[in-house]
Amino acid sequence: MLTILVLAGIGFLIYKYLIYPVFFSPLSKIPSAHFTASWSPLWILWVRYARVEVQTIHKAHVKYGPIVRLGPNEVSVNCVDGGLRTVYAGGFEKWSFYDQFDNYGVPCMFSIKESKPHSTRKRMMSNVYSKTFVQSSKDALRITYSILFDRLLPVLNASAAEGSALEVHELNYATTMDFVSSYIFGLSNGSNFIQNVEMRKKYLSWHFKRSEHSFWYQEIPRLTKLVQSIGIRLVPKWVDMANDEIQAWVLRLCRLAESSPHESDAYKVKEDGTRPVVYCQLSDSLKKSAAKAEGEEKFRISANEEIHIASELLDHVVAGMDTSAITLTYLFWEVSRNARIQKALRTELRNMSPTLTLENCPTMPSARYIDSLPLLHAVVIETLRRHSAIPGSQPRITPSTPTSLAGSPPLPGGVRVSAQAYSLHRNEKVFGDPEFWNPERWYWVDQETKDKMMRWFWAFGSGGRMCIGSNFALQELKYVTALVYSNFETSIVDDTGIEQVDSYTAGPTGNQLKLKFTRSSVSVPEIQ
């Protein structure tokens, strides 16, 4: 009798974990990226551990089409209809993958998996990240002026005067952190990494340490925590220490912002700094929400609210710095090796009124004017397409109602499904010669073609979970690019390791780019 029960149990396990997923599961009709993918998750786990996920999934899509099976319960899609629109605009919830983005032990908007609480949090802050608000914000304009003219331009001028090579990748991290932290916490409270090199290097050492071992908490968090509880650390202790340092730093900035004036008229002159724009918006929204629930007005945040604010804003700081810095590095690299585009861009920028040249300081063109420049926009958008800072998969989970994706049979609830910008941006039918960085694909085309490309453009995601800071990021990228190429010519000195790493967030493998800056004071011919 015992033998029969054992054999029955073995037979059940064989059916559940081998026969059913291989032959009878709705996923069995989807082409597998690997011969073991239909019955084992080990292959895709190894691919992620080896940091070759992006390229591997892309090759599978090239070979098999718009939907491929990555594991017994996982698929990847690479299409708009039946893919992006269904998954990301259709309300699919986030996978547990995003738990790794919790801070201080509490979720932030990016790591909240359910749509309703995510929407509630997003509404608290979306106003100050809207295009209209960012472009018209006096605080954003003052921050931009201070960072461009008081901090960044002197560094570039000094390098040009010396004729020496300047390592710009780290400088880009400093610039983007100064921008985002100043907008969030106020100019006088945010970082000054451009000028404070020691603090910049200290912070970046923490930042890169915390991202080196993301696989374990990303893919097998339960096992990671279990073995750690018995003294086996898959993630080194110094990674946790780096996280603690960054969390302590952001918490200090939150407390500085809380003690700063929240009224616009308190900042009448440049020396007063700026309002902590995002901090004010979030903390005031939480106070109003608590007052509504408790029936009395609140003037200060509670300790619990402070931690939730810090968790949220830490995510904004890290994401806003990382992605924009990587984008600037690849933009400088591409423009530096394309003399014709660089000259045409400089012509467009020199024709601004007012210009962003040193000679024209202290005036500055408006954000709306900067945004209207067609070649500048094309250069930024094409860099975001060709060198997406986040090329990796964005996992979601299928709902309980069976759903067909990319022509597949209806898939049951609980299936991990994702798309990746890397593959979407390399559709040859949409982006001809997609590996070639070509801003003119956005410049010399009709509106219908441009609209089609934008449907496949996914640098900021799509749907209700689209990056909340995209408008701020684009404005920052355009202003920095405009400053650089209004005043300088750039050429490559050392681009060793410029290839992007294969990971969720993808900077250069060499983590560096050295350029030579030469002062430019003459007009140049327009692009032909």
Side-chain angles (χ1 to χ4, degrees), residues 22-62:
V22 173
F23 298 105
F24 300 110
S25 166
L27 279 69
S28 65
K29 305 298 188 293
I30 299 171
S32 293
H34 188 264
F35 75 94
T36 65
S38 61
W39 53 273
S40 171
L42 292 179
W43 169 77
I44 190 61
L45 284 173
W46 171 256
V47 164
R48 287 172 177 142
Y49 176 76
R51 303 189 78 173
V52 292
E53 177 185 6
V54 174
Q55 291 286 343
T56 300
I57 292 176
H58 179 64
K59 289 175 183 176
H61 279 299
V62 170

Side-chain angles (χ1 to χ4, degrees), residues 51 101 173 322-323 326 388-392 501-507:
R51 303 189 78 173
F101 297 101
Y173 271 98
D322 221 3
T323 53
I326 292 168
S388 297
I390 300 183
V501 298
D502 188 318
S503 64
Y504 180 78
T505 304

Side-chain angles (χ1 to χ4, degrees), residues 13 51 79 86 136 161 171 233 244-245 252 267 276 283 292 323 333 346 369 394 435 438 461 467 494 505 510 514 523:
L13 293 175
R51 303 189 78 173
C79 55
T86 304
S136 60
L171 181 62
R233 296 190 65 94
D244 292 343
E245 292 284 4
R252 286 196 296 271
Y267 304 91
S283 64
K292 185 177 180 180
T323 53
W333 180 64
R346 187 171 298 107
Y369 189 92
Q394 306 282 354
E435 293 297 336
N438 178 23
C467 173
D494 183 4
T505 304
K514 293 179 182 177
S523 60

